[in-house]
Amino acid sequence: MNYITIFNNQTIPVSSIPEVDYNTLLETNINLVSGKSERHCVNYYGYNIGNKIKLICCIADDNTHEIFVSSSKVQQNEKLNSFTAKLLCFEKFEREIHENFGIGYHDHPWLKPVRYSHNRFDKSKQIANYPFYSIDSDELHEVGVGPIHAGIIEPGHFRFICNGEQILHLEIQLGFQHRGIEDLFIHKKNILQRATIAENIAGDTVVGHTTAFSHVWESLCGYKTKSDVEFGRTIALELERIAVHTGDISAVCTDIAYQLGSSVFGRLRTPIINYFQEWGGNRLGKGLIRPGRNQFSFNKLLGERLKEVLDKFEPDFTEMNEELFSLPSALSRFERTGVVSFEDVSSIGAVGMAARMSGLNRDVRLSHPYGLYSELNHEPIIKHHGDVYSRVQIRKHEVWQSIKHIRNLLNNIPEEISTDTELNKPKQDSFTISLVEGWRGEICHCAITDSSGDLLHYKVKDPSFHNWLALALAVRNNEISDFPVCNKSFNLSYCGHDL
Amino acid sequence: MLNNVKILYHQGKQFIPDVTTVNVPGIFRGRPIISPEKVDENKLAEICPTSAINKNPVSIDLGKCTFCGECARVFSNKISFTKDYKLSANKRENLIIKEGVDKPIELNSELIRKEIHKMFGGSLKLRQISAAGDNSCEAELNAAGNVNFDMGRFGIEFVASPRHADGIVITGPISENMAEPVQICYDATPSPKIIILAGTDAISGGIFSDSRAINRSFLEKYPIDLYVPGNPVHPLTFINGVLSLIAKRKGN
Ligand code: SF4
């Protein structure tokens, strides 16, 4: 076999991952994914071993819950055949490998920079001299926005090529938020420091990323996570989804100048994040989840409060949605705006909401379950039009669904158990992969330990890593005035991407 | 129309009448109190992920603290967090809470430039720069303007361009890649202008303070008018901090 088959949150010896020559790696993985929409690449990355680079590729099968892991060692100055030439979904992974290690490709269509990471191979590549795509024409004009945007939001630079109002092409330059996250995971030795880094990856996905990190760590330490801890995490994950989706519907209303919707959804987000504060002292869930424990365990009293909060939230949320989706002026801005087809989301390997909006059933809660999801009979919400309308609809239905999941969970609140757990040292020379369905989609953390059980390499992938390209495709041939509503309906992460 | 009225009615009253005295519900980790109790100080200091705790006597630097609450969990007799959300200071040292001290953190009025109240007391427009922030402080600064906190009622607002602004609010540790945009944005803001650092990452770099991917040299060049601690900053902390910065003072 050219690969090893594992499952979500499983730890295996690094040596058990088959190491094949590069061309076999290429063929194996292309064969695994080609023509199968239920399979996609969840991570493909490299790290230094001596003066060589070890590549690790992880392909997930959404039907069988399996993850296929394979590897290969290559030289820095080697020029390789690219995966991308065969399948587009690998384009960004290979650009990253090229940026970090200088590995060249014969047939990669465009090796432009990903994030100008601190440890990039070619320091002459600066964020100020980004090679934007340009068209030479008297008919067309370019519009540049950012890095600092007009609202209170993270930085990125968007370059549009337009024909009058019509967008022909959008290029998204990221990397401004690069903080050296993956490096810090290695250099900070203390577990609390690492958990703090995890919760600072993306402030709107604190629970998602901290849960992924905790799962990696617990698995590395051979610790079986207690079900009451998973109970709290599952509730927190669904609450995070409710809060962000609601806030995002508010933002979409703002962008179509619908003041009532904007205010009402904005204020509806508040009781949910305030509940996080009641539970753990932080509105975004920071300080709540730690490897081996949750800082504040969930109990009956919290359950009663949560029921109250949801009982008040739900009718107001439903009422506002009924109004919003009956407004012709709103619908005319949503429908057929920012469409991405099923073929396109499949070929770029979109995940989460950005996949489900176009009929691609991709949801880690179902395909690679963790926590308490296998008990919840979770069925992903799927839409088919791939437009703003589908994205807003998905958010609405996912909020209702999350409320249902939470209510189900609240019927069986586990008795409190001790929150103090001493974890063993992580296993030596091991590899772990953890997938979590954050509200944006699939979060993937991978860790590798060395011969003394310390972290040798840590890899984080936010769903935005895949999905930014979906936004660029969505706005093609749309009016530039529709860009904000397209953008907000995705609400992708800059910091989660830039790392 | 009737539907709209119904929806409005169902929202009830949302705004907080007095943002300077309201009680935060539930758990809130605000200004800490450090008791004189003897503990293993080395162990206590070691716990802290961002080295915010100093030894003999024990103190906590709120400019470094991520408010994770770990110190109070393990050494509950030594450290407790109050619900006091007024955490801002205009002197960096005043963010350091010392053992046995339980009094509010206040701005040092001598350090507040005279023109601040005169120019911005009635209206203050701010340009926010997310300099590698994780979007949590950004979300909370947005929330400061929502229907609950309604910061706009004090004439304090975020604007879309530095050219319209009276000052900048920086969040995040300032990545290498944002160093230049921060400078450009500051330069584009007309004088007199103020600088506010919002959140632990902006004030000290937080957990990123020793990352090689950040560049904080901008902060060495200019005086900082206000430090607002938090991870992320709570909207009440931010509003109260700014209000005390622009408030009228005796002798002004
Ligand atoms: S609450 Fe602050 S001082 Fe205490 S451990 Fe956390 S970061 Fe350190």
Side-chain angles (χ1 to χ4, degrees):
Chain A
M1 261 320 200
N2 294 332
Y3 55 83
I4 180 170
T5 304
I6 61 171
F7 295 94
N8 195 4
N9 297 318
Q10 190 179 339
T11 294
I12 50 168
V14 183
S15 56
S16 67
I17 304 173
E19 192 175 296
V20 294
D21 67 82
Y22 178 80
N23 283 330
T24 313
L25 184 81
L26 189 153
E27 252 170 58
T28 306
N29 286 295
I30 296 295
N31 283 339
L32 280 172
V33 185
S34 258
K36 296 186 189 71
S37 68
E38 73 275 18
R39 285 191 186 158
H40 70 294
C41 176
V42 289
N43 229 334
Y44 174 37
Y45 64 94
Y47 65 101
N48 282 314
I49 289 194
N51 54 3
K52 289 198 172 164
I53 293 128
K54 177 137 173 164
L55 300 172
I56 294 207
C57 188
C58 314
I59 307 289
D61 187 308
D62 294 343
N63 290 344
T64 61
H65 316 316
E66 295 165 308
I67 304 168
F68 313 116
V69 188
S70 51
S71 74
S72 178
K73 250 191 217 146
V74 294
Q75 303 279 358
Q76 196 143 60
N77 47 13
E78 237 172 301
K79 227 173 171 194
L80 308 170
N81 293 319
S82 76
F83 286 37
T84 310
K86 305 236 167 15
L87 287 173
L88 183 60
C89 61
F90 288 100
E91 65 90 36
K92 206 164 205 180
F93 293 112
E94 291 193 323
R95 277 166 53 197
E96 187 192 30
I97 291 167
H98 170 73
E99 179 171 44
N100 290 349
F101 304 104
I103 289 177
Y105 292 98
H106 296 294
D107 51 0
H108 188 289
W110 200 5
L111 286 168
K112 60 182 176 171
V114 177
R115 55 172 78 98
Y116 301 89
S117 50
H118 179 82
N119 47 6
R120 64 191 181 275
F121 181 76
D122 180 356
K123 298 278 192 239
S124 74
K125 292 207 167 112
Q126 303 273 330
I127 205 145
N129 61 23
Y130 186 86
F132 284 106
Y133 182 70
S134 67
I135 298 180
D136 204 11
S137 160
D138 291 339
E139 309 285 312
L140 307 177
H141 66 278
E142 286 188 9
V143 182
V145 195
I148 304 177
H149 297 302
I152 308 178
I153 177 178
E154 305 157 87
H157 183 93
F158 296 156
R159 188 73 64 96
F160 299 89
I161 297 175
C162 297
N163 181 6
E165 278 289 290
Q166 189 194 21
I167 301 169
L168 298 185
H169 177 77
L170 163 63
E171 192 163 354
I172 302 168
Q173 178 196 10
L174 297 166
F176 293 94
Q177 299 284 84
H178 170 64
R179 294 145 290 166
I181 292 259
E182 289 170 351
D183 258 12
L184 282 175
F185 268 112
I186 318 286
H187 293 134
K188 302 263 178 198
K189 299 289 177 207
N190 169 314
I191 183 75
L192 188 58
Q193 288 179 326
R194 287 171 173 163
T196 307
I197 298 165
E199 64 188 15
N200 282 295
I201 290 173
D204 53 24
T205 316
V206 171
V207 181
H209 276 290
T210 325
T211 301
F213 169 71
S214 298
H215 282 163
V216 164
W217 203 260
E218 286 156 6
S219 174
L220 274 178
C221 299
Y223 176 75
K224 174 133 186 22
T225 316
K226 302 231 165 46
S227 75
D228 75 309
V229 171
E230 292 294 15
F231 182 91
R233 289 175 187 172
T234 313
I235 295 243
L237 280 164
E238 294 307 314
L239 279 175
E240 186 168 81
R241 193 179 318 274
I242 296 174
V244 182
H245 279 349
T246 308
D248 282 350
I249 305 179
S250 161
V252 165
C253 288
T254 310
D255 283 339
I256 58 164
Y258 182 42
Q259 173 70 32
L260 184 69
S262 159
S263 308
V264 171
F265 287 118
R267 88 106 184 125
L268 278 171
R269 171 180 165 269
T270 308
I272 307 292
I273 60 174
N274 277 350
Y275 179 79
F276 264 128
Q277 167 145 351
E278 276 185 52
W279 176 5
N282 186 295
R283 302 217 300 168
L284 303 181
K286 287 189 179 181
L288 184 62
I289 293 162
R290 298 284 176 256
R293 62 187 161 99
N294 297 335
Q295 187 99 286
F296 300 86
S297 52
F298 202 86
N299 55 34
K300 295 239 151 53
L301 213 67
L302 277 166
E304 285 307 314
R305 266 296 290 148
L306 184 50
K307 266 188 211 142
E308 268 172 48
V309 170
L310 294 179
D311 285 349
K312 276 196 178 154
F313 173 95
E314 199 171 2
D316 285 351
F317 180 79
T318 303
E319 181 183 46
M320 192 63 244
N321 267 301
E322 276 167 5
E323 181 66 14
L324 172 67
F325 285 100
S326 68
L327 288 176
S329 56
L331 296 179
S332 72
R333 294 291 307 278
F334 294 166
E335 284 171 345
R336 287 182 287 279
T337 305
V339 179
V340 192
S341 67
F342 176 83
E343 286 69 35
D344 281 349
V345 292
S346 316
S347 77
I348 65 172
V351 296
M353 224 187 65
R356 299 197 286 275
M357 69 185 191
S358 305
L360 182 57
N361 189 348
R362 193 161 283 168
D363 189 329
V364 178
R365 288 174 288 178
L366 175 70
S367 60
H368 303 273
Y370 52 92
L372 301 189
Y373 284 109
S374 39
E375 295 163 26
L376 278 173
N377 294 327
H378 174 72
E379 276 299 327
I381 309 270
I382 312 279
K383 297 283 161 194
H384 294 91
H385 299 297
D387 53 3
V388 172
Y389 186 72
S390 295
R391 294 190 279 280
V392 183
Q393 287 274 17
I394 285 194
R395 290 175 188 279
K396 176 180 83 178
H397 287 292
E398 289 199 344
V399 167
W400 283 329
Q401 184 182 51
S402 294
I403 294 176
K404 205 177 93 209
H405 285 340
I406 292 176
R407 287 194 200 281
N408 271 339
L409 288 168
L410 289 181
N411 289 331
N412 271 315
I413 302 174
E415 293 301 325
E416 243 176 288
I417 54 156
S418 135
T419 49
D420 260 326
T421 321
E422 270 297 315
L423 297 186
N424 296 331
K425 234 180 128 37
K427 291 186 191 129
Q428 303 157 352
D429 294 315
S430 295
F431 168 87
T432 303
I433 184 166
S434 171
L435 299 174
V436 166
E437 184 77 14
W439 64 267
R440 266 191 198 97
E442 171 190 291
I443 294 166
C444 176
H445 286 213
C446 296
I448 293 172
T449 56
D450 64 14
S451 55
S452 56
D454 207 357
L455 271 188
L456 178 73
H457 192 261
Y458 201 83
K459 185 81 199 142
V460 177
K461 194 213 60 190
D462 187 87
S464 307
F465 189 78
H466 301 276
N467 291 350
W468 274 110
L469 189 53
L471 171 63
L473 295 176
V475 298
R476 282 201 174 169
N477 296 322
N478 283 243
E479 289 186 10
I480 193 163
S481 50
D482 278 331
F483 171 72
V485 64
C486 291
N487 188 22
K488 294 288 168 52
S489 63
F490 281 98
N491 188 9
L492 300 170
S493 180
Y494 300 81
C495 52
H497 173 277
D498 293 348
L499 296 171
Chain B
M1 191 62 217
L2 208 61
N3 273 353
N4 286 2
V5 175
K6 237 169 61 194
I7 290 173
L8 279 177
Y9 177 74
H10 287 156
Q11 305 314 307
K13 248 211 195 90
Q14 289 298 327
F15 80 101
I16 300 169
D18 188 349
V19 287
T20 62
T21 57
V22 61
N23 216 336
V24 190
I27 308 172
F28 183 74
R29 285 186 287 276
R31 178 173 53 84
I33 301 177
I34 309 166
S35 80
E37 167 135 347
K38 287 269 156 292
V39 294
D40 183 341
E41 296 192 359
N42 288 327
K43 235 175 123 195
L44 172 61
E46 235 168 68
I47 280 183
C48 182
T50 47
S51 313
I53 302 179
N54 275 313
K55 296 175 284 190
N56 61 79
V58 174
S59 67
I60 296 183
D61 181 352
L62 296 188
K64 290 185 177 170
C65 175
T66 64
F67 296 85
C68 68
E70 187 71 6
C71 51
R73 189 180 77 92
V74 181
F75 290 89
S76 51
N77 291 335
K78 181 76 184 164
I79 291 173
S80 56
F81 283 88
T82 70
K83 284 193 179 183
D84 182 0
Y85 45 75
K86 294 178 184 166
L87 305 172
S88 305
N90 58 345
K91 192 172 172 202
R92 183 66 181 81
E93 291 82 66
N94 289 358
L95 292 178
I96 299 171
I97 306 291
K98 303 204 173 73
E99 190 169 288
V101 177
D102 178 10
K103 58 171 210 257
I105 306 172
E106 277 168 357
L107 297 201
N108 184 330
S109 56
E110 270 156 39
L111 292 177
I112 302 178
R113 285 178 281 141
K114 290 264 176 303
E115 66 263 28
I116 289 188
H117 171 71
K118 213 169 107 213
M119 305 274 299
F120 310 134
S123 156
L124 176 67
K125 306 291 170 205
L126 296 166
R127 178 76 273 252
Q128 200 275 334
I129 310 171
S130 169
D134 69 353
N135 214 14
S136 59
C137 279
E138 291 78 353
E140 289 297 61
L141 293 179
N142 266 319
N146 73 13
V147 291
N148 305 102
F149 300 105
D150 190 19
M151 187 170 68
R153 67 181 121 163
F154 308 109
I156 310 165
E157 265 169 355
F158 289 101
V159 291
S161 161
R163 303 242 188 253
H164 306 157
D166 306 312
I168 57 172
V169 180
I170 300 176
T171 56
I174 312 189
S175 57
E176 178 84 55
N177 293 339
M178 274 307 284
E180 195 187 351
V182 168
Q183 183 69 53
I184 294 172
C185 185
Y186 176 81
D187 291 342
T189 310
S191 297
K193 51 191 160 189
I194 62 176
I195 303 179
I196 297 174
L197 300 184
T200 298
D201 292 349
I203 298 173
S204 68
I207 195 79
F208 305 107
S209 59
D210 46 10
S211 166
R212 289 178 304 160
I214 69 173
N215 174 356
R216 296 171 57 76
S217 57
F218 172 84
L219 299 176
E220 288 151 25
K221 291 189 235 168
Y222 309 100
I224 306 301
D225 293 289
L226 192 68
Y227 301 93
V228 191
N231 181 33
V233 297
H234 193 278
L236 289 171
T237 310
F238 185 77
I239 298 173
N240 279 282
V242 178
L243 282 178
S244 47
L245 178 69
I246 60 177
K248 187 162 175 60
R249 293 203 154 60
K250 282 189 212 100
N252 256 8

